[in-house]
Amino acid sequence: MAHSCCNHSPQAKKHTHKFKIALWIALVLNLSLFFIEVLGGAHTGSSALWADALDFAGDSFNYILSLIALGLTAYWRSQVALFKGLMMFVFALIIVGKVIWSYSQNIPPEALTMGLIGVLALVANIISAIVLYTFREGDANMRSVWLCSRNDAIGNIAVMIAALGVFGTNSVLPDLIVALVMAVLGLSSGLQIIKHAKQEQKA
Ligand SMILES: [Zn+2]
């Protein structure tokens, strides 16, 4: 899920070596799962997998920013945030389009592969959380890491429940309902990021 807790702007202070390694690990995991879910969503016909990929995209973006944004001025940080908000908004719109298209096609996704990718996504999110927790810096925002991971896990579990629902009913609907809820959350969080970035530019 693309929730606001994952959208905090990167701190503009120097990271310790260990925390940088943790960020790299989290980045590789999140980016890998983004591609796996996008390809898996196309392969299985699951919209919920695409919707779950939205969060991996947003989180990857945050880790990249956290790794490179140290030297950026406040203006450029808000420009980057604006780009991220727009990107997430457009991606969420594409998912809404896919939901409508899938509804018209009415072909249930491959539930088994879909569920397995959901499990893989949950494992990746748990490993990211443990790594970031273990190598957290000083007063690093623990609550934010925890809330973010918890919401990500809820998204992954929603995908698994959707897969189970598709498996049990042989209907496309469980997949579409989960995808639509996540896409709407993505639209609203994309808008929030855009609004916040614009406010920062005015300040
Ligand atoms: Zn997240």
Side-chain angles (χ1 to χ4, degrees):
M1 249 172 277
H3 22 271
S4 49
C5 61
C6 292
N7 298 328
H8 51 88
S9 26
Q11 303 140 294
K13 61 169 183 176
K14 213 171 154 16
H15 288 318
T16 62
H17 182 63
K18 272 187 175 173
F19 190 63
K20 267 191 195 162
I21 293 173
L23 283 172
W24 273 108
I25 294 171
L27 173 61
V28 168
L29 281 171
N30 277 265
L31 214 52
S32 305
L33 260 296
F34 168 74
F35 286 113
I36 289 172
E37 288 199 327
V38 168
L39 293 175
H43 178 77
T44 61
S46 163
S47 304
L49 280 180
W50 275 21
D52 200 38
L54 185 62
D55 181 73
F56 284 116
D59 291 354
S60 299
F61 204 90
N62 284 339
Y63 299 135
I64 292 172
L65 262 188
S66 203
L67 282 162
I68 65 165
L70 301 172
L72 291 183
T73 61
Y75 173 78
W76 279 105
R77 274 206 303 277
S78 64
Q79 283 291 93
V80 173
L82 192 63
F83 172 76
K84 181 195 165 190
L86 286 171
M87 185 192 76
M88 292 192 71
F89 189 82
V90 170
F91 191 14
L93 272 186
I94 291 173
I95 293 162
V96 172
K98 180 166 159 63
V99 166
I100 295 168
W101 186 80
S102 297
Y103 183 74
S104 74
Q105 298 294 307
N106 199 22
I107 302 166
E110 264 175 58
L112 187 63
T113 315
M114 182 187 160
L116 284 176
I117 294 175
V119 173
L120 200 64
L122 182 62
V123 170
N125 271 321
I126 290 172
I127 296 174
S128 299
I130 291 172
V131 166
L132 288 172
Y133 180 84
T134 309
F135 296 106
R136 68 189 185 278
E137 298 184 307
D139 62 341
N141 204 332
M142 271 328 297
R143 207 179 138 66
S144 139
V145 172
W146 156 245
L147 283 176
C148 194
S149 313
R150 189 198 61 185
N151 289 352
D152 288 353
I154 291 173
N156 306 145
I157 291 166
V159 169
M160 290 184 231
I161 292 172
L164 208 63
V166 169
F167 184 75
T169 62
N170 205 27
S171 151
V172 72
L173 284 180
D175 182 52
L176 298 187
I177 293 166
V178 167
L180 200 60
V181 170
M182 289 168 102
V184 168
L185 287 170
L187 285 176
S188 96
S189 100
L191 277 182
Q192 265 176 18
I193 301 170
I194 293 167
K195 233 168 77 184
H196 189 78
K198 287 199 164 162
Q199 273 167 2
E200 270 183 359
Q201 284 180 345
K202 271 187 219 150

PDB file of all heavy atoms in Angstrom, residues 42-80:
ATOM      1  N   ALA A  42       1.431  -9.173 -14.889  1.00  0.00           N
ATOM      2  CA  ALA A  42       1.154  -9.317 -16.322  1.00  0.00           C
ATOM      3  C   ALA A  42       0.971 -10.791 -16.670  1.00  0.00           C
ATOM      4  O   ALA A  42       0.083 -11.161 -17.429  1.00  0.00           O
ATOM      5  CB  ALA A  42       2.294  -8.705 -17.137  1.00  0.00           C
ATOM      6  N   HIS A  43       1.816 -11.635 -16.075  1.00  0.00           N
ATOM      7  CA  HIS A  43       1.795 -13.069 -16.390  1.00  0.00           C
ATOM      8  C   HIS A  43       0.539 -13.761 -15.846  1.00  0.00           C
ATOM      9  O   HIS A  43      -0.090 -14.557 -16.547  1.00  0.00           O
ATOM     10  CB  HIS A  43       3.050 -13.724 -15.814  1.00  0.00           C
ATOM     11  CG  HIS A  43       3.106 -15.198 -16.025  1.00  0.00           C
ATOM     12  ND1 HIS A  43       3.435 -15.758 -17.243  1.00  0.00           N
ATOM     13  CD2 HIS A  43       2.847 -16.225 -15.182  1.00  0.00           C
ATOM     14  CE1 HIS A  43       3.383 -17.070 -17.129  1.00  0.00           C
ATOM     15  NE2 HIS A  43       3.029 -17.391 -15.896  1.00  0.00           N
ATOM     16  N   THR A  44       0.181 -13.454 -14.596  1.00  0.00           N
ATOM     17  CA  THR A  44      -0.957 -14.152 -13.983  1.00  0.00           C
ATOM     18  C   THR A  44      -2.283 -13.454 -14.290  1.00  0.00           C
ATOM     19  O   THR A  44      -3.350 -14.016 -14.056  1.00  0.00           O
ATOM     20  CB  THR A  44      -0.820 -14.195 -12.445  1.00  0.00           C
ATOM     21  OG1 THR A  44      -0.800 -12.847 -11.952  1.00  0.00           O
ATOM     22  CG2 THR A  44       0.453 -14.894 -12.011  1.00  0.00           C
ATOM     23  N   GLY A  45      -2.203 -12.189 -14.764  1.00  0.00           N
ATOM     24  CA  GLY A  45      -3.417 -11.420 -14.998  1.00  0.00           C
ATOM     25  C   GLY A  45      -3.975 -10.812 -13.730  1.00  0.00           C
ATOM     26  O   GLY A  45      -5.147 -10.420 -13.684  1.00  0.00           O
ATOM     27  N   SER A  46      -3.129 -10.703 -12.686  1.00  0.00           N
ATOM     28  CA  SER A  46      -3.604 -10.154 -11.409  1.00  0.00           C
ATOM     29  C   SER A  46      -3.394  -8.647 -11.318  1.00  0.00           C
ATOM     30  O   SER A  46      -2.277  -8.140 -11.455  1.00  0.00           O
ATOM     31  CB  SER A  46      -2.880 -10.839 -10.250  1.00  0.00           C
ATOM     32  OG  SER A  46      -3.027 -10.077  -9.079  1.00  0.00           O
ATOM     33  N   SER A  47      -4.475  -7.924 -11.062  1.00  0.00           N
ATOM     34  CA  SER A  47      -4.378  -6.475 -10.858  1.00  0.00           C
ATOM     35  C   SER A  47      -3.851  -6.165  -9.473  1.00  0.00           C
ATOM     36  O   SER A  47      -3.170  -5.155  -9.263  1.00  0.00           O
ATOM     37  CB  SER A  47      -5.752  -5.826 -11.033  1.00  0.00           C
ATOM     38  OG  SER A  47      -6.289  -6.139 -12.290  1.00  0.00           O
ATOM     39  N   ALA A  48      -4.169  -7.033  -8.493  1.00  0.00           N
ATOM     40  CA  ALA A  48      -3.728  -6.785  -7.117  1.00  0.00           C
ATOM     41  C   ALA A  48      -2.204  -6.796  -7.026  1.00  0.00           C
ATOM     42  O   ALA A  48      -1.614  -6.043  -6.247  1.00  0.00           O
ATOM     43  CB  ALA A  48      -4.327  -7.819  -6.165  1.00  0.00           C
ATOM     44  N   LEU A  49      -1.548  -7.637  -7.835  1.00  0.00           N
ATOM     45  CA  LEU A  49      -0.087  -7.660  -7.828  1.00  0.00           C
ATOM     46  C   LEU A  49       0.472  -6.327  -8.314  1.00  0.00           C
ATOM     47  O   LEU A  49       1.439  -5.804  -7.761  1.00  0.00           O
ATOM     48  CB  LEU A  49       0.454  -8.811  -8.685  1.00  0.00           C
ATOM     49  CG  LEU A  49       0.443 -10.207  -8.045  1.00  0.00           C
ATOM     50  CD1 LEU A  49       1.010 -11.227  -9.019  1.00  0.00           C
ATOM     51  CD2 LEU A  49       1.232 -10.237  -6.742  1.00  0.00           C
ATOM     52  N   TRP A  50      -0.129  -5.764  -9.328  1.00  0.00           N
ATOM     53  CA  TRP A  50       0.304  -4.447  -9.815  1.00  0.00           C
ATOM     54  C   TRP A  50       0.097  -3.392  -8.738  1.00  0.00           C
ATOM     55  O   TRP A  50       0.923  -2.521  -8.529  1.00  0.00           O
ATOM     56  CB  TRP A  50      -0.465  -4.059 -11.087  1.00  0.00           C
ATOM     57  CG  TRP A  50       0.153  -4.611 -12.330  1.00  0.00           C
ATOM     58  CD1 TRP A  50       1.006  -5.680 -12.402  1.00  0.00           C
ATOM     59  CD2 TRP A  50      -0.021  -4.126 -13.664  1.00  0.00           C
ATOM     60  NE1 TRP A  50       1.362  -5.892 -13.705  1.00  0.00           N
ATOM     61  CE2 TRP A  50       0.759  -4.964 -14.500  1.00  0.00           C
ATOM     62  CE3 TRP A  50      -0.756  -3.081 -14.221  1.00  0.00           C
ATOM     63  CZ2 TRP A  50       0.810  -4.767 -15.883  1.00  0.00           C
ATOM     64  CZ3 TRP A  50      -0.700  -2.893 -15.601  1.00  0.00           C
ATOM     65  CH2 TRP A  50       0.066  -3.726 -16.411  1.00  0.00           C
ATOM     66  N   ALA A  51      -1.046  -3.491  -8.066  1.00  0.00           N
ATOM     67  CA  ALA A  51      -1.340  -2.504  -7.028  1.00  0.00           C
ATOM     68  C   ALA A  51      -0.335  -2.617  -5.887  1.00  0.00           C
ATOM     69  O   ALA A  51       0.096  -1.617  -5.312  1.00  0.00           O
ATOM     70  CB  ALA A  51      -2.771  -2.702  -6.517  1.00  0.00           C
ATOM     71  N   ASP A  52       0.066  -3.835  -5.547  1.00  0.00           N
ATOM     72  CA  ASP A  52       1.052  -4.032  -4.488  1.00  0.00           C
ATOM     73  C   ASP A  52       2.423  -3.532  -4.942  1.00  0.00           C
ATOM     74  O   ASP A  52       3.227  -3.059  -4.125  1.00  0.00           O
ATOM     75  CB  ASP A  52       1.113  -5.519  -4.094  1.00  0.00           C
ATOM     76  CG  ASP A  52       1.724  -5.726  -2.709  1.00  0.00           C
ATOM     77  OD1 ASP A  52       1.444  -4.898  -1.805  1.00  0.00           O
ATOM     78  OD2 ASP A  52       2.484  -6.686  -2.515  1.00  0.00           O
ATOM     79  N   ALA A  53       2.696  -3.612  -6.247  1.00  0.00           N
ATOM     80  CA  ALA A  53       3.972  -3.130  -6.793  1.00  0.00           C
ATOM     81  C   ALA A  53       4.120  -1.627  -6.603  1.00  0.00           C
ATOM     82  O   ALA A  53       5.231  -1.100  -6.505  1.00  0.00           O
ATOM     83  CB  ALA A  53       4.073  -3.476  -8.276  1.00  0.00           C
ATOM     84  N   LEU A  54       2.993  -0.949  -6.525  1.00  0.00           N
ATOM     85  CA  LEU A  54       3.002   0.504  -6.334  1.00  0.00           C
ATOM     86  C   LEU A  54       3.780   0.889  -5.073  1.00  0.00           C
ATOM     87  O   LEU A  54       4.566   1.834  -5.073  1.00  0.00           O
ATOM     88  CB  LEU A  54       1.541   0.980  -6.210  1.00  0.00           C
ATOM     89  CG  LEU A  54       1.248   2.461  -6.126  1.00  0.00           C
ATOM     90  CD1 LEU A  54       1.714   3.161  -7.377  1.00  0.00           C
ATOM     91  CD2 LEU A  54      -0.259   2.680  -5.960  1.00  0.00           C
ATOM     92  N   ASP A  55       3.577   0.129  -4.021  1.00  0.00           N
ATOM     93  CA  ASP A  55       4.287   0.431  -2.780  1.00  0.00           C
ATOM     94  C   ASP A  55       5.783   0.150  -2.904  1.00  0.00           C
ATOM     95  O   ASP A  55       6.603   0.918  -2.407  1.00  0.00           O
ATOM     96  CB  ASP A  55       3.699  -0.375  -1.617  1.00  0.00           C
ATOM     97  CG  ASP A  55       4.425  -0.033  -0.335  1.00  0.00           C
ATOM     98  OD1 ASP A  55       4.189   1.077   0.165  1.00  0.00           O
ATOM     99  OD2 ASP A  55       5.255  -0.824   0.127  1.00  0.00           O
ATOM    100  N   PHE A  56       6.136  -0.960  -3.576  1.00  0.00           N
ATOM    101  CA  PHE A  56       7.556  -1.263  -3.759  1.00  0.00           C
ATOM    102  C   PHE A  56       8.231  -0.158  -4.579  1.00  0.00           C
ATOM    103  O   PHE A  56       9.382   0.185  -4.329  1.00  0.00           O
ATOM    104  CB  PHE A  56       7.745  -2.631  -4.430  1.00  0.00           C
ATOM    105  CG  PHE A  56       7.518  -3.783  -3.492  1.00  0.00           C
ATOM    106  CD1 PHE A  56       6.494  -4.679  -3.694  1.00  0.00           C
ATOM    107  CD2 PHE A  56       8.346  -3.961  -2.385  1.00  0.00           C
ATOM    108  CE1 PHE A  56       6.294  -5.745  -2.824  1.00  0.00           C
ATOM    109  CE2 PHE A  56       8.154  -5.024  -1.506  1.00  0.00           C
ATOM    110  CZ  PHE A  56       7.116  -5.914  -1.728  1.00  0.00           C
ATOM    111  N   ALA A  57       7.507   0.410  -5.554  1.00  0.00           N
ATOM    112  CA  ALA A  57       8.056   1.511  -6.344  1.00  0.00           C
ATOM    113  C   ALA A  57       8.293   2.729  -5.456  1.00  0.00           C
ATOM    114  O   ALA A  57       9.365   3.336  -5.470  1.00  0.00           O
ATOM    115  CB  ALA A  57       7.109   1.871  -7.485  1.00  0.00           C
ATOM    116  N   GLY A  58       7.286   3.071  -4.666  1.00  0.00           N
ATOM    117  CA  GLY A  58       7.395   4.248  -3.796  1.00  0.00           C
ATOM    118  C   GLY A  58       8.515   4.099  -2.770  1.00  0.00           C
ATOM    119  O   GLY A  58       9.296   5.023  -2.543  1.00  0.00           O
ATOM    120  N   ASP A  59       8.607   2.898  -2.171  1.00  0.00           N
ATOM    121  CA  ASP A  59       9.635   2.675  -1.163  1.00  0.00           C
ATOM    122  C   ASP A  59      11.036   2.670  -1.787  1.00  0.00           C
ATOM    123  O   ASP A  59      11.975   3.234  -1.217  1.00  0.00           O
ATOM    124  CB  ASP A  59       9.371   1.360  -0.414  1.00  0.00           C
ATOM    125  CG  ASP A  59       8.121   1.459   0.473  1.00  0.00           C
ATOM    126  OD1 ASP A  59       7.552   2.564   0.571  1.00  0.00           O
ATOM    127  OD2 ASP A  59       7.716   0.441   1.055  1.00  0.00           O
ATOM    128  N   SER A  60      11.164   2.049  -2.973  1.00  0.00           N
ATOM    129  CA  SER A  60      12.460   2.071  -3.670  1.00  0.00           C
ATOM    130  C   SER A  60      12.888   3.507  -3.916  1.00  0.00           C
ATOM    131  O   SER A  60      14.049   3.880  -3.709  1.00  0.00           O
ATOM    132  CB  SER A  60      12.366   1.362  -5.027  1.00  0.00           C
ATOM    133  OG  SER A  60      12.005   0.022  -4.870  1.00  0.00           O
ATOM    134  N   PHE A  61      11.933   4.298  -4.347  1.00  0.00           N
ATOM    135  CA  PHE A  61      12.200   5.709  -4.613  1.00  0.00           C
ATOM    136  C   PHE A  61      12.736   6.396  -3.353  1.00  0.00           C
ATOM    137  O   PHE A  61      13.697   7.157  -3.397  1.00  0.00           O
ATOM    138  CB  PHE A  61      10.906   6.372  -5.080  1.00  0.00           C
ATOM    139  CG  PHE A  61      11.128   7.595  -5.898  1.00  0.00           C
ATOM    140  CD1 PHE A  61      11.246   7.501  -7.273  1.00  0.00           C
ATOM    141  CD2 PHE A  61      11.215   8.838  -5.302  1.00  0.00           C
ATOM    142  CE1 PHE A  61      11.458   8.627  -8.035  1.00  0.00           C
ATOM    143  CE2 PHE A  61      11.424   9.974  -6.061  1.00  0.00           C
ATOM    144  CZ  PHE A  61      11.541   9.865  -7.439  1.00  0.00           C
ATOM    145  N   ASN A  62      12.117   6.086  -2.213  1.00  0.00           N
ATOM    146  CA  ASN A  62      12.555   6.691  -0.954  1.00  0.00           C
ATOM    147  C   ASN A  62      13.978   6.280  -0.581  1.00  0.00           C
ATOM    148  O   ASN A  62      14.753   7.099  -0.087  1.00  0.00           O
ATOM    149  CB  ASN A  62      11.613   6.291   0.184  1.00  0.00           C
ATOM    150  CG  ASN A  62      10.312   7.053   0.117  1.00  0.00           C
ATOM    151  OD1 ASN A  62      10.237   8.112  -0.501  1.00  0.00           O
ATOM    152  ND2 ASN A  62       9.281   6.524   0.742  1.00  0.00           N
ATOM    153  N   TYR A  63      14.304   4.986  -0.817  1.00  0.00           N
ATOM    154  CA  TYR A  63      15.648   4.527  -0.462  1.00  0.00           C
ATOM    155  C   TYR A  63      16.693   5.162  -1.375  1.00  0.00           C
ATOM    156  O   TYR A  63      17.764   5.555  -0.932  1.00  0.00           O
ATOM    157  CB  TYR A  63      15.736   2.992  -0.519  1.00  0.00           C
ATOM    158  CG  TYR A  63      14.775   2.321   0.454  1.00  0.00           C
ATOM    159  CD1 TYR A  63      13.992   1.240   0.069  1.00  0.00           C
ATOM    160  CD2 TYR A  63      14.641   2.786   1.762  1.00  0.00           C
ATOM    161  CE1 TYR A  63      13.105   0.636   0.948  1.00  0.00           C
ATOM    162  CE2 TYR A  63      13.758   2.199   2.638  1.00  0.00           C
ATOM    163  CZ  TYR A  63      12.985   1.131   2.232  1.00  0.00           C
ATOM    164  OH  TYR A  63      12.108   0.543   3.105  1.00  0.00           O
ATOM    165  N   ILE A  64      16.350   5.280  -2.676  1.00  0.00           N
ATOM    166  CA  ILE A  64      17.277   5.938  -3.604  1.00  0.00           C
ATOM    167  C   ILE A  64      17.501   7.381  -3.149  1.00  0.00           C
ATOM    168  O   ILE A  64      18.626   7.858  -3.042  1.00  0.00           O
ATOM    169  CB  ILE A  64      16.724   5.929  -5.052  1.00  0.00           C
ATOM    170  CG1 ILE A  64      16.692   4.495  -5.602  1.00  0.00           C
ATOM    171  CG2 ILE A  64      17.572   6.814  -5.953  1.00  0.00           C
ATOM    172  CD1 ILE A  64      15.980   4.365  -6.946  1.00  0.00           C
ATOM    173  N   LEU A  65      16.384   8.048  -2.822  1.00  0.00           N
ATOM    174  CA  LEU A  65      16.476   9.436  -2.378  1.00  0.00           C
ATOM    175  C   LEU A  65      17.319   9.551  -1.133  1.00  0.00           C
ATOM    176  O   LEU A  65      18.164  10.448  -1.006  1.00  0.00           O
ATOM    177  CB  LEU A  65      15.077   9.950  -2.048  1.00  0.00           C
ATOM    178  CG  LEU A  65      14.400  10.747  -3.112  1.00  0.00           C
ATOM    179  CD1 LEU A  65      13.111  11.346  -2.565  1.00  0.00           C
ATOM    180  CD2 LEU A  65      15.321  11.840  -3.596  1.00  0.00           C
ATOM    181  N   SER A  66      17.096   8.643  -0.208  1.00  0.00           N
ATOM    182  CA  SER A  66      17.818   8.685   1.049  1.00  0.00           C
ATOM    183  C   SER A  66      19.311   8.498   0.794  1.00  0.00           C
ATOM    184  O   SER A  66      20.147   9.059   1.493  1.00  0.00           O
ATOM    185  CB  SER A  66      17.284   7.590   1.967  1.00  0.00           C
ATOM    186  OG  SER A  66      17.545   7.917   3.302  1.00  0.00           O
ATOM    187  N   LEU A  67      19.651   7.708  -0.241  1.00  0.00           N
ATOM    188  CA  LEU A  67      21.060   7.460  -0.546  1.00  0.00           C
ATOM    189  C   LEU A  67      21.710   8.621  -1.301  1.00  0.00           C
ATOM    190  O   LEU A  67      22.890   8.878  -1.134  1.00  0.00           O
ATOM    191  CB  LEU A  67      21.198   6.163  -1.366  1.00  0.00           C
ATOM    192  CG  LEU A  67      21.101   4.867  -0.553  1.00  0.00           C
ATOM    193  CD1 LEU A  67      20.802   3.676  -1.453  1.00  0.00           C
ATOM    194  CD2 LEU A  67      22.381   4.623   0.233  1.00  0.00           C
ATOM    195  N   ILE A  68      20.934   9.312  -2.130  1.00  0.00           N
ATOM    196  CA  ILE A  68      21.569  10.358  -2.959  1.00  0.00           C
ATOM    197  C   ILE A  68      21.191  11.780  -2.574  1.00  0.00           C
ATOM    198  O   ILE A  68      21.857  12.713  -3.001  1.00  0.00           O
ATOM    199  CB  ILE A  68      21.240  10.179  -4.463  1.00  0.00           C
ATOM    200  CG1 ILE A  68      19.749  10.380  -4.709  1.00  0.00           C
ATOM    201  CG2 ILE A  68      21.731   8.837  -4.984  1.00  0.00           C
ATOM    202  CD1 ILE A  68      19.391  10.569  -6.163  1.00  0.00           C
ATOM    203  N   ALA A  69      20.138  11.942  -1.778  1.00  0.00           N
ATOM    204  CA  ALA A  69      19.593  13.292  -1.606  1.00  0.00           C
ATOM    205  C   ALA A  69      20.339  14.118  -0.569  1.00  0.00           C
ATOM    206  O   ALA A  69      19.958  15.249  -0.292  1.00  0.00           O
ATOM    207  CB  ALA A  69      18.115  13.226  -1.249  1.00  0.00           C
ATOM    208  N   LEU A  70      21.400  13.536  -0.007  1.00  0.00           N
ATOM    209  CA  LEU A  70      22.082  14.234   1.088  1.00  0.00           C
ATOM    210  C   LEU A  70      22.572  15.601   0.660  1.00  0.00           C
ATOM    211  O   LEU A  70      22.552  16.553   1.428  1.00  0.00           O
ATOM    212  CB  LEU A  70      23.262  13.384   1.570  1.00  0.00           C
ATOM    213  CG  LEU A  70      22.834  12.009   2.070  1.00  0.00           C
ATOM    214  CD1 LEU A  70      24.041  11.133   2.339  1.00  0.00           C
ATOM    215  CD2 LEU A  70      21.985  12.163   3.314  1.00  0.00           C
ATOM    216  N   GLY A  71      23.022  15.692  -0.616  1.00  0.00           N
ATOM    217  CA  GLY A  71      23.596  16.956  -1.057  1.00  0.00           C
ATOM    218  C   GLY A  71      22.574  17.902  -1.679  1.00  0.00           C
ATOM    219  O   GLY A  71      22.927  18.994  -2.095  1.00  0.00           O
ATOM    220  N   LEU A  72      21.312  17.462  -1.766  1.00  0.00           N
ATOM    221  CA  LEU A  72      20.320  18.287  -2.452  1.00  0.00           C
ATOM    222  C   LEU A  72      19.798  19.433  -1.581  1.00  0.00           C
ATOM    223  O   LEU A  72      19.653  19.290  -0.375  1.00  0.00           O
ATOM    224  CB  LEU A  72      19.124  17.425  -2.889  1.00  0.00           C
ATOM    225  CG  LEU A  72      19.362  16.407  -3.995  1.00  0.00           C
ATOM    226  CD1 LEU A  72      18.058  15.703  -4.331  1.00  0.00           C
ATOM    227  CD2 LEU A  72      19.928  17.076  -5.228  1.00  0.00           C
ATOM    228  N   THR A  73      19.503  20.544  -2.228  1.00  0.00           N
ATOM    229  CA  THR A  73      18.898  21.661  -1.508  1.00  0.00           C
ATOM    230  C   THR A  73      17.410  21.354  -1.290  1.00  0.00           C
ATOM    231  O   THR A  73      16.858  20.461  -1.919  1.00  0.00           O
ATOM    232  CB  THR A  73      18.994  22.951  -2.339  1.00  0.00           C
ATOM    233  OG1 THR A  73      18.271  22.741  -3.558  1.00  0.00           O
ATOM    234  CG2 THR A  73      20.432  23.297  -2.650  1.00  0.00           C
ATOM    235  N   ALA A  74      16.805  22.124  -0.389  1.00  0.00           N
ATOM    236  CA  ALA A  74      15.386  21.912  -0.074  1.00  0.00           C
ATOM    237  C   ALA A  74      14.534  22.021  -1.341  1.00  0.00           C
ATOM    238  O   ALA A  74      13.585  21.255  -1.531  1.00  0.00           O
ATOM    239  CB  ALA A  74      14.925  22.919   0.968  1.00  0.00           C
ATOM    240  N   TYR A  75      14.902  22.972  -2.231  1.00  0.00           N
ATOM    241  CA  TYR A  75      14.126  23.165  -3.454  1.00  0.00           C
ATOM    242  C   TYR A  75      14.142  21.892  -4.309  1.00  0.00           C
ATOM    243  O   TYR A  75      13.102  21.419  -4.760  1.00  0.00           O
ATOM    244  CB  TYR A  75      14.673  24.339  -4.265  1.00  0.00           C
ATOM    245  CG  TYR A  75      14.010  24.462  -5.622  1.00  0.00           C
ATOM    246  CD1 TYR A  75      12.736  25.024  -5.738  1.00  0.00           C
ATOM    247  CD2 TYR A  75      14.623  23.968  -6.769  1.00  0.00           C
ATOM    248  CE1 TYR A  75      12.103  25.106  -6.958  1.00  0.00           C
ATOM    249  CE2 TYR A  75      14.005  24.048  -8.005  1.00  0.00           C
ATOM    250  CZ  TYR A  75      12.744  24.617  -8.101  1.00  0.00           C
ATOM    251  OH  TYR A  75      12.120  24.694  -9.312  1.00  0.00           O
ATOM    252  N   TRP A  76      15.340  21.315  -4.499  1.00  0.00           N
ATOM    253  CA  TRP A  76      15.438  20.135  -5.346  1.00  0.00           C
ATOM    254  C   TRP A  76      14.811  18.919  -4.700  1.00  0.00           C
ATOM    255  O   TRP A  76      14.249  18.065  -5.368  1.00  0.00           O
ATOM    256  CB  TRP A  76      16.891  19.874  -5.756  1.00  0.00           C
ATOM    257  CG  TRP A  76      17.243  20.772  -6.892  1.00  0.00           C
ATOM    258  CD1 TRP A  76      18.010  21.887  -6.846  1.00  0.00           C
ATOM    259  CD2 TRP A  76      16.754  20.668  -8.233  1.00  0.00           C
ATOM    260  NE1 TRP A  76      18.046  22.488  -8.078  1.00  0.00           N
ATOM    261  CE2 TRP A  76      17.287  21.764  -8.950  1.00  0.00           C
ATOM    262  CE3 TRP A  76      15.922  19.764  -8.900  1.00  0.00           C
ATOM    263  CZ2 TRP A  76      17.002  21.960 -10.312  1.00  0.00           C
ATOM    264  CZ3 TRP A  76      15.650  19.973 -10.249  1.00  0.00           C
ATOM    265  CH2 TRP A  76      16.188  21.061 -10.937  1.00  0.00           C
ATOM    266  N   ARG A  77      14.888  18.867  -3.353  1.00  0.00           N
ATOM    267  CA  ARG A  77      14.226  17.751  -2.669  1.00  0.00           C
ATOM    268  C   ARG A  77      12.723  17.805  -2.927  1.00  0.00           C
ATOM    269  O   ARG A  77      12.091  16.782  -3.156  1.00  0.00           O
ATOM    270  CB  ARG A  77      14.510  17.786  -1.160  1.00  0.00           C
ATOM    271  CG  ARG A  77      15.813  17.093  -0.779  1.00  0.00           C
ATOM    272  CD  ARG A  77      15.763  16.582   0.656  1.00  0.00           C
ATOM    273  NE  ARG A  77      15.485  17.634   1.616  1.00  0.00           N
ATOM    274  CZ  ARG A  77      16.403  18.444   2.110  1.00  0.00           C
ATOM    275  NH1 ARG A  77      17.658  18.316   1.744  1.00  0.00           N
ATOM    276  NH2 ARG A  77      16.081  19.374   2.961  1.00  0.00           N
ATOM    277  N   SER A  78      12.155  19.007  -2.899  1.00  0.00           N
ATOM    278  CA  SER A  78      10.711  19.092  -3.125  1.00  0.00           C
ATOM    279  C   SER A  78      10.377  18.830  -4.596  1.00  0.00           C
ATOM    280  O   SER A  78       9.326  18.283  -4.912  1.00  0.00           O
ATOM    281  CB  SER A  78      10.161  20.446  -2.665  1.00  0.00           C
ATOM    282  OG  SER A  78      10.702  21.484  -3.433  1.00  0.00           O
ATOM    283  N   GLN A  79      11.310  19.182  -5.505  1.00  0.00           N
ATOM    284  CA  GLN A  79      11.097  18.857  -6.923  1.00  0.00           C
ATOM    285  C   GLN A  79      11.042  17.341  -7.118  1.00  0.00           C
ATOM    286  O   GLN A  79      10.183  16.816  -7.829  1.00  0.00           O
ATOM    287  CB  GLN A  79      12.251  19.408  -7.794  1.00  0.00           C
ATOM    288  CG  GLN A  79      12.194  20.887  -8.047  1.00  0.00           C
ATOM    289  CD  GLN A  79      11.035  21.273  -8.947  1.00  0.00           C
ATOM    290  OE1 GLN A  79       9.961  21.610  -8.462  1.00  0.00           O
ATOM    291  NE2 GLN A  79      11.220  21.202 -10.251  1.00  0.00           N
ATOM    292  N   VAL A  80      11.977  16.652  -6.463  1.00  0.00           N
ATOM    293  CA  VAL A  80      12.026  15.194  -6.569  1.00  0.00           C
ATOM    294  C   VAL A  80      10.757  14.590  -5.973  1.00  0.00           C
ATOM    295  O   VAL A  80      10.169  13.655  -6.524  1.00  0.00           O
ATOM    296  CB  VAL A  80      13.295  14.637  -5.876  1.00  0.00           C
ATOM    297  CG1 VAL A  80      13.264  13.123  -5.843  1.00  0.00           C
ATOM    298  CG2 VAL A  80      14.540  15.107  -6.597  1.00  0.00           C
TER     299      VAL A  80
END
